[in-house]
Amino acid sequence: MRKEAKMGIFGLCLVIPSFLLLSVIVITPIILSFFESLRNESGGYDLSRYVYLFTDEGMRANIVFTLQVTIVSCVIVLAVSYALAVYMRFSTGRLVDLIRKTYMIPIFIPGVIATYGLINLLGNHGWLSRWLLLFGGTLPRIIFDQKGIIIANLWFNIPFTTMLLSSALAGIPNAVIESAKDIGASRLRIFFRIIMPLSYKTFLVAVTFVFMGVIGSFTAPFLVGPNAPQMLGVSMEQVFSVFQEREQAAAISFFTFLLCSLLGYFYIRSMVKEETARP
Amino acid sequence: MFRMKKGFTVLSALALSFGILAGCGTANNNSADSAAAGGSESPAASNSASSSAPVEIQFYFTGSQNVKNLWDQLTPMFEEKNPDVKVKLVYIPSGTGAQPTYDRILAAKQAGKGSGGIDLYEDGLPVVTQGQKDDLWDTLSTSSVPNLAKVDAKTMQDVANLAVPYRSSAVVLAYNSEKVTQPPRTLDEVFDWIKKHPERFAYNDPSTGGSGSSFVTTTLYKDLPEEAIHSDDPAIMKDWDKGFATLKELGPYLYGKGIYPKKNQGTLDLLTSGEVDMIPAWSDMVLEQLDKGQLPATTKMQQITPGFNGGPTYLMVPKLSEKKEAVYKFLDFVLSPEAQAVMVKTMHGFPGIQLTNMPQDIQDSFKGVSEGFRNFNVGELSKEINKRWQSDVAAQ
């Protein structure tokens, strides 16, 4: 008992620093910006800033645009990453080795530089359009468009997501798969009955990461996005530092936080379910 | 346990460094205070003392690297001629701390601590007018700074003699002279040109850079009375409708049928790559990039009448500075043709003094661009312009 109490205190000591840090840099700002966002123009408190978010045409377009970009990016990133991870886990050969060695490179390239690279590659007079011109084709508009943001998001998110999923797949013992094969399970069956369930949890983690990363992104949408509609991050920056409406910016940021916490809720719920399912 | 120990080490290291920093702070204050005390006792005494020990003035300035290069070059020239004055340069990289410097001057005044150790400060027009309201700046005259006589009297009037406009730049049309032989001379001709040459003109998102902002503002105020550009009266906002309608109408004729690149550099990049033939741009950026070969040599500039926005960068002397005599000497030097020539060469800005005071070759290089620009000063209204542009023009 005494030992347990000691361990408990030790555990608390370990948690307290990170909790304090969290409360100073995350929880307090959220509460403060929530109160800030409730202040209306005449100084009183009401929900007018949020009403504006959903009634102003430009703002509504921004929200829809952000959700579109986020969902499309999430779907493509996860599909590509999962395919890559499965491929790297179960195949051998030179190509796999090459992919394994190089797929992390984008992580080490600073965001602004990568974005300018994309502009040079995909822009109106970029390399790609010049090559296409040789064959008589023309490039649809990618830069200064939604497509540009999505492509940039793929570049930023695929490596890390692949890394996460690879580590989950690496944790699946070969013995399980081999024994399934022995009793005659087809490849598809192995995938859906063994690989999917065993990597499902990491998959959820990856969804959360990609979703939050994309919805709050700024650099790429600012540099390659259209003037309107904007991603919420870009709009927030504009409202905050150009229009200097702190309360409105706080309302946008709190709304973004709500969107993220919705996903966080599902994530935590599934984690808790798993934990309690265990004996 | 090990972790905690490490934590303590880190903490104590932090505490120590803060202690040292705090010590530095007080030491600085002390020296500033004592200097201030010396000054207030008898200015004459401090002047005579200066022959033995030079007076050190603290000059705070902000901006891009080119501004720092300019002062690094000018200060030794000044100190060589005036051994009794030393200029301590305090460079604040742009975006990191211009506002705190202003706040510091204001806070020092409110706390009754003189000028907070800042003897000279550089910034744009908004800060000059802000300081005018807070009564922070010293009124300058030709008796203290003789070279002020060389500055355009109207520019000095605009700032009530509270600041020295030591360099300026303006927004001009930059164009590819291979494609455009007869550049437009008025705003109406510009609109005409844009419509006749679809997708060959671009201006940047006005909230991200002054050149696009100037194009928008100039359009809005095209048919409004001339005084309106110096007024921040919100009553004028309803008169913007026509201008915004024009901008909206231009949208489909612009680059990418209505794409407005970000930042001043965004449109310059388009001009470089040949995607457009004409843009509004800052003259100093065009000149500098021509000089470095980043822009094609065929790029030329043209100011329209009435002109785009342009304006000076100002030097202000905090009213409560105790070393004004030394600062005046420095200001007088900055406005001398010799120092102004250095500024023109390194920064490609227009001289702060009237062009007739400059060598002939410099006068020639600014032909057609250094005149005719107007100094828009619409204050808080520019925020409203950006807001309305975003909802009316960008999101059309």
Side-chain angles (χ1 to χ4, degrees), chain B residues 56-60 115-121 316-318 320-324 327:
Chain B
E56 191 181 82
I57 57 174
Q58 305 264 349
F59 174 26
Y60 280 63
S115 63
I118 298 166
D119 301 304
L120 188 61
Y121 180 47
M316 288 81 76
V317 187
L320 299 171
S321 161
E322 300 291 349
K323 296 165 193 166
K324 280 184 201 154
V327 177

Side-chain angles (χ1 to χ4, degrees), chain B residues 111-374:
Chain B
K113 295 222 166 142
S115 63
I118 298 166
D119 301 304
L120 188 61
Y121 180 47
E122 167 181 340
D123 214 321
L125 191 58
V127 175
V128 179
T129 39
Q130 202 182 346
Q132 192 174 7
K133 279 182 209 147
D134 294 331
D135 191 25
L136 283 188
W137 312 130
D138 183 40
T139 308
L140 303 161
S141 69
T142 43
S143 57
S144 49
V145 184
N147 274 334
L148 266 185
K150 297 195 176 98
V151 179
D152 186 1
K154 246 176 80 190
T155 325
M156 288 306 287
Q157 249 170 37
D158 264 359
V159 293
N161 291 318
L162 292 174
V164 177
Y166 83 96
R167 65 177 162 96
S168 53
S169 57
V171 174
V172 293
L173 286 177
Y175 62 96
N176 178 351
S177 61
E178 274 181 350
K179 299 271 182 68
V180 184
T181 43
Q182 293 231 313
R185 305 266 170 166
T186 65
L187 199 57
D188 282 321
E189 283 177 38
V190 175
F191 295 156
D192 233 37
W193 189 92
I194 293 172
K195 283 180 187 163
K196 279 189 191 136
H197 302 82
E199 301 197 45
R200 305 306 297 173
F201 185 90
Y203 68 91
N204 64 295
D205 179 343
S207 66
T208 64
S211 59
S213 166
S214 174
F215 183 80
V216 170
T217 318
T218 312
T219 308
L220 295 186
Y221 284 81
K222 184 170 84 87
D223 295 324
L224 301 185
E226 189 61 34
E227 319 78 81
I229 65 169
H230 295 294
S231 142
D232 57 357
D233 180 9
I236 197 98
M237 281 165 65
K238 62 176 185 332
D239 298 331
W240 291 344
D241 293 350
K242 201 180 154 208
F244 273 116
T246 313
L247 289 172
K248 213 167 158 175
E249 189 194 323
L250 284 178
Y253 296 99
L254 295 177
Y255 168 68
K257 299 198 168 61
I259 286 173
Y260 309 89
K262 301 280 161 75
K263 303 254 171 206
N264 295 320
Q265 189 59 41
T267 37
L268 281 166
D269 287 344
L270 290 182
L271 188 66
T272 308
S273 68
E275 288 177 75
V276 296
D277 296 328
M278 197 188 295
I279 58 167
W282 283 105
S283 57
D284 54 331
M285 289 179 85
V286 174
L287 285 166
E288 191 179 357
Q289 293 182 23
L290 268 174
D291 199 40
K292 287 184 180 161
Q294 286 166 328
L295 273 172
T298 51
T299 310
K300 283 191 178 161
M301 291 185 289
Q302 173 67 44
Q303 181 60 279
I304 58 169
T305 28
F308 284 123
N309 188 17
T313 302
Y314 296 92
L315 292 171
M316 288 81 76
V317 187
K319 205 171 201 170
L320 299 171
S321 161
E322 300 291 349
K323 296 165 193 166
K324 280 184 201 154
E325 291 303 316
V327 177
Y328 292 155
K329 269 192 198 167
F330 184 60
L331 286 181
D332 200 48
F333 165 75
V334 170
L335 289 176
S336 66
E338 171 199 15
Q340 290 281 309
V342 172
M343 189 278 303
V344 169
K345 279 198 191 91
T346 55
M347 293 202 57
H348 301 283
F350 306 149
I353 57 178
Q354 286 181 310
L355 262 183
T356 43
N357 297 303
M358 302 298 289
Q360 191 59 43
D361 59 321
I362 289 179
Q363 288 193 33
D364 288 345
S365 71
F366 285 115
K367 212 172 249 171
V369 285
S370 67
E371 52 226 33
F373 65 80
R374 295 181 295 170

Side-chain angles (χ1 to χ4, degrees), chain A residues 14 124-125 141 144 221-222 225-228 230 234 238 242-245, chain B residues 3 205 207-208 255-256 258-260 262 273 275 383 386-387 390 394-395:
Chain A
L14 286 182
N124 212 3
H125 276 207
R141 182 164 293 288
F144 304 125
F222 180 75
N227 299 91
Q230 302 163 310
V234 180
Q238 198 183 39
V242 182
F243 307 156
Q244 295 179 6
E245 292 176 350
Chain B
R3 233 181 207 196
D205 179 343
S207 66
T208 64
Y255 168 68
I259 286 173
Y260 309 89
K262 301 280 161 75
S273 68
E275 288 177 75
K383 243 163 43 189
N386 287 338
K387 222 162 113 181
Q390 179 66 33

Side-chain angles (χ1 to χ4, degrees), chain A residues 74-149:
Chain A
C74 276
V75 170
I76 304 182
V77 165
L78 285 158
V80 173
S81 298
Y82 206 70
L84 255 181
V86 169
Y87 179 60
M88 286 196 290
R89 168 73 176 80
F90 298 108
S91 306
T92 46
R94 278 193 157 179
L95 187 63
V96 178
D97 274 346
L98 188 73
I99 295 177
R100 218 172 265 151
K101 276 178 193 148
T102 52
Y103 82 95
M104 303 258 278
I105 288 176
I107 294 183
F108 301 105
I109 296 176
V112 179
I113 291 171
T115 313
Y116 271 107
L118 281 177
I119 292 177
N120 274 332
L121 176 67
L122 304 171
N124 212 3
H125 276 207
W127 304 332
L128 196 61
S129 75
R130 269 176 258 166
W131 288 330
L132 269 180
L133 207 63
L134 289 180
F135 305 104
T138 48
L139 198 64
R141 182 164 293 288
I142 295 175
I143 297 302
F144 304 125
D145 191 83
Q146 194 172 18
K147 296 187 227 47
I149 306 182

Side-chain angles (χ1 to χ4, degrees), chain A:
Chain A
M1 188 58 205
R2 268 196 65 198
K3 201 187 167 198
E4 257 173 37
K6 237 185 192 171
M7 285 303 283
I9 291 170
F10 181 65
L12 269 182
C13 286
L14 286 182
V15 172
I16 282 175
S18 69
F19 178 75
L20 279 181
L21 196 71
L22 210 71
S23 66
V24 171
I25 66 168
V26 180
I27 300 173
T28 322
I30 288 173
I31 296 172
L32 285 180
S33 61
F34 178 61
F35 281 112
E36 177 120 38
S37 69
L38 291 178
R39 267 229 310 273
N40 61 15
E41 269 167 47
S42 47
Y45 286 89
D46 61 14
L47 286 173
S48 59
R49 305 281 176 188
Y50 291 93
V51 172
Y52 175 81
L53 267 191
F54 299 107
T55 49
D56 182 68
E57 230 170 272
M59 252 325 153
R60 222 166 38 203
N62 289 350
I63 293 172
V64 172
F65 181 76
T66 308
L67 287 176
Q68 261 176 12
V69 169
T70 310
I71 291 167
V72 173
S73 303
C74 276
V75 170
I76 304 182
V77 165
L78 285 158
V80 173
S81 298
Y82 206 70
L84 255 181
V86 169
Y87 179 60
M88 286 196 290
R89 168 73 176 80
F90 298 108
S91 306
T92 46
R94 278 193 157 179
L95 187 63
V96 178
D97 274 346
L98 188 73
I99 295 177
R100 218 172 265 151
K101 276 178 193 148
T102 52
Y103 82 95
M104 303 258 278
I105 288 176
I107 294 183
F108 301 105
I109 296 176
V112 179
I113 291 171
T115 313
Y116 271 107
L118 281 177
I119 292 177
N120 274 332
L121 176 67
L122 304 171
N124 212 3
H125 276 207
W127 304 332
L128 196 61
S129 75
R130 269 176 258 166
W131 288 330
L132 269 180
L133 207 63
L134 289 180
F135 305 104
T138 48
L139 198 64
R141 182 164 293 288
I142 295 175
I143 297 302
F144 304 125
D145 191 83
Q146 194 172 18
K147 296 187 227 47
I149 306 182
I150 293 175
I151 292 175
N153 281 334
L154 299 188
W155 167 271
F156 290 127
N157 287 295
I158 286 178
F160 186 67
T161 316
T162 311
M163 199 168 77
L164 268 181
L165 292 169
S166 299
S167 72
L169 293 178
I172 300 174
N174 273 338
V176 177
I177 294 161
E178 275 156 20
S179 46
K181 266 187 197 159
D182 284 348
I183 53 171
S186 68
R187 282 180 163 215
L188 272 181
R189 210 176 154 85
I190 292 177
F191 181 76
F192 284 112
R193 299 303 290 270
I194 297 173
I195 297 173
M196 275 279 270
L198 283 176
S199 56
Y200 162 75
K201 214 165 130 184
T202 315
F203 188 80
L204 260 185
V205 178
V207 173
T208 324
F209 268 107
V210 177
F211 184 89
M212 293 189 182
V214 171
I215 208 165
S217 58
F218 176 76
T219 313
F222 180 75
L223 291 170
V224 303
N227 299 91
Q230 302 163 310
M231 291 273 288
L232 283 178
V234 180
S235 166
M236 212 185 302
E237 191 269 347
Q238 198 183 39
V239 170
F240 184 82
S241 57
V242 182
F243 307 156
Q244 295 179 6
E245 292 176 350
R246 271 193 330 199
E247 295 84 7
Q248 192 58 54
I252 304 175
S253 71
F254 193 76
F255 176 69
T256 318
F257 165 73
L258 281 184
L259 286 177
C260 286
S261 51
L262 194 75
L263 199 79
Y265 167 74
F266 284 115
Y267 167 66
I268 289 171
R269 204 180 66 166
S270 80
M271 291 290 146
V272 169
K273 239 196 232 161
E274 296 253 316
E275 291 294 318
T276 47
R278 270 184 210 158

